[in-house]
Amino acid sequence: MSAADRLWEAPPFGLAPDEKVKYFTEALADLTASHRRRCPPYRNILDALGFDPASARAPEEFPFLPVGLFKNLELCSVPPGEVARVVTSSGTSGQVPSKIYLDGPTADGQRRALAAIVSDFIGPDRLPMLVIDCPSVLRGGRFTARAAGVAGFASFGRGRTWALGDDMRPDLDAVSAFLETYGGKPFLLFGFTFLVWQFFEALAASGRAWDFQNGVLIHGGGWKTLADRAVGPEEFRRRLAEGFGLRRVHDYYGMAEQTGSIFMACERGHLHVSAFSDLFVRRASDFSLCETGEEGILQVQSILPESYPGHSLLTEDWGVLLGEDGCPCGRRGKYFAVLGRLKAAELRGCSDTYAAEHG
């Protein structure tokens, strides 16, 4: 059994640290060697660094690519005929998006990993689902990170209802009918953070009473726009609880360049690293590793990208590792917090992008 297979067989938040390091290091070595062989631009980068995949003894020893490199290079490890889908990252108007090339096995792995991670938080059953977005997000030829998020999370729901019309205004009658039909038992809500906030602001201004006490909200896509409005995670959760009875709220952190390898926030608000991922925090001065509790640049790793070399990336986000195996929620593994974007990084969160273009 390969190291990757052992990670797939393990509970997503159940591995002991020494097991995780062993299997994850072997899986990264296999991926790095594969991409070096099949992706010439990536091979040139490794050759310039003088890196031999067989030399690494721990995940942090593998080189990383700056996430912005996917805007400038065609990084693909499969022949054109095997590319099943090209996902483009969100970017502000006028910015060049990243292009992520997915073949069938990679897309399937993304779905499997997402299912394992999310099920650990909401359970295995498919719940009635209210999507806080519009139907047109899934139409058209361009498959954006926002569309990928909606399509990926839609698999956890049934009786899917769109909360917004194509004009991005809440469909109050559709929402009311959904709650009347499904609101008496657990149901799922999904949307990008800024859209979710706008949606609940509109409900509050509608003059009607809305009961979301049985809802489970999953949201992600960036806090920059809401932070500018003095709305952070705690205030976000407080207002949803007090105004709508919605208390089960899970943020998540992820990016198009590693779709499927999301980091879900637990009941304590901590983002958790699954068996399919790893995370390090690096100092901006020399990219050396930060200590636990020390702020720095987030580096993310994943065993999922088989069709493109996106398995070890330096993000444009600032964060802090809070601990490992010590979260009060009981999940094993590392847990962390995202503190914001790097000052020089463009605003490109999925929901932040919508706000920048339409706000």
Side-chain angles (χ1 to χ4, degrees):
M1 181 182 295
S2 70
D5 289 337
R6 292 185 181 276
L7 293 171
W8 279 110
E9 283 197 346
F13 303 100
L15 281 175
D18 56 344
E19 290 182 290
K20 172 72 177 287
V21 168
K22 172 180 169 57
Y23 299 138
F24 207 85
T25 302
E26 293 179 17
L28 280 183
D30 291 341
L31 267 180
T32 303
S34 173
H35 290 308
R36 184 186 186 281
R37 184 175 65 256
R38 298 185 296 155
C39 181
Y42 184 66
R43 179 169 61 247
N44 292 339
I45 293 171
L46 292 189
D47 288 349
L49 294 172
F51 179 77
D52 177 4
S55 67
R57 296 291 178 266
E60 62 267 28
E61 296 179 11
F62 288 85
F64 49 78
L65 300 182
V67 72
L69 202 61
F70 288 86
K71 302 178 188 302
N72 303 311
L73 291 180
E74 298 282 328
L75 295 169
C76 184
S77 302
V78 297
E82 294 182 17
V83 175
R85 176 173 291 164
V86 180
V87 177
T88 57
S89 68
S90 300
T92 52
S93 181
Q95 294 284 352
V96 177
S98 297
K99 289 184 180 180
I100 310 303
Y101 298 90
L102 305 181
D103 65 356
T106 300
D108 182 62
Q110 291 175 346
R111 288 189 290 267
R112 290 172 58 201
L114 187 65
I117 293 167
V118 175
S119 295
D120 191 87
F121 288 83
I122 69 172
D125 296 332
R126 296 178 68 202
L127 300 175
M129 185 175 189
L130 183 67
V131 181
I132 305 177
D133 212 312
C134 63
S136 62
V137 70
L138 296 181
R139 295 198 292 262
R142 186 166 175 256
F143 201 74
T144 64
R146 182 172 147 214
V150 171
F153 280 93
S155 64
F156 301 107
R158 58 181 176 83
R160 183 174 66 190
T161 297
W162 297 96
L164 309 181
D166 284 336
D167 60 358
M168 300 306 293
R169 297 177 184 272
D171 186 338
L172 298 183
D173 291 339
V175 175
S176 180
F178 177 89
L179 291 175
E180 184 176 346
T181 303
Y182 300 113
K185 295 181 179 180
F187 61 91
L188 180 65
L189 303 97
F190 171 78
F192 290 98
T193 304
F194 182 74
L195 295 180
V196 170
W197 183 253
Q198 281 192 323
F199 169 73
F200 280 106
E201 279 191 321
L203 293 192
S206 71
R208 302 193 203 178
W210 302 92
D211 184 1
F212 285 82
Q213 64 177 323
N214 289 319
V216 182
L217 171 64
I218 298 176
H219 70 99
W223 286 95
K224 175 65 170 62
T225 303
L226 290 187
D228 290 344
R229 301 184 181 193
V231 179
E234 291 185 8
E235 177 69 4
F236 185 92
R237 290 192 294 268
R238 183 187 70 79
R239 292 206 201 173
L240 294 189
E242 292 181 357
F244 303 92
L246 182 56
R247 291 177 170 80
R248 293 185 63 187
V249 177
H250 298 285
D251 186 12
Y252 76 90
Y253 173 68
M255 61 199 68
E257 293 82 3
Q258 283 189 358
T259 300
S261 297
I262 66 167
F263 304 89
M264 288 276 288
C266 69
E267 299 77 8
R268 302 302 181 99
H270 300 151
L271 293 162
H272 282 263
V273 180
S274 75
F276 314 113
S277 301
D278 209 344
L279 176 133
F280 301 97
V281 184
R282 295 189 178 272
R283 299 183 179 98
S285 57
D286 59 2
F287 300 120
S288 59
L289 289 175
C290 294
E291 301 291 336
T292 299
E294 179 185 357
E295 297 179 10
I297 306 172
L298 297 180
Q299 177 196 352
V300 292
Q301 295 178 330
S302 170
I303 66 167
L304 302 183
E306 297 182 14
S307 55
Y308 67 99
H311 53 299
S312 183
L313 303 176
L314 189 70
T315 75
E316 296 169 344
D317 296 310
W318 194 255
V320 58
L321 179 65
L322 300 173
E324 184 172 15
D325 279 8
C327 182
C329 78
R331 292 177 177 87
R332 302 200 71 171
K334 296 177 181 177
Y335 55 103
F336 67 103
V338 178
L339 303 177
R341 302 286 289 165
L342 299 181
K343 290 183 179 180
E346 62 173 308
L347 174 64
R348 70 173 186 92
C350 297
S351 58
D352 289 336
T353 299
Y354 177 83
E357 294 178 350
H358 298 82

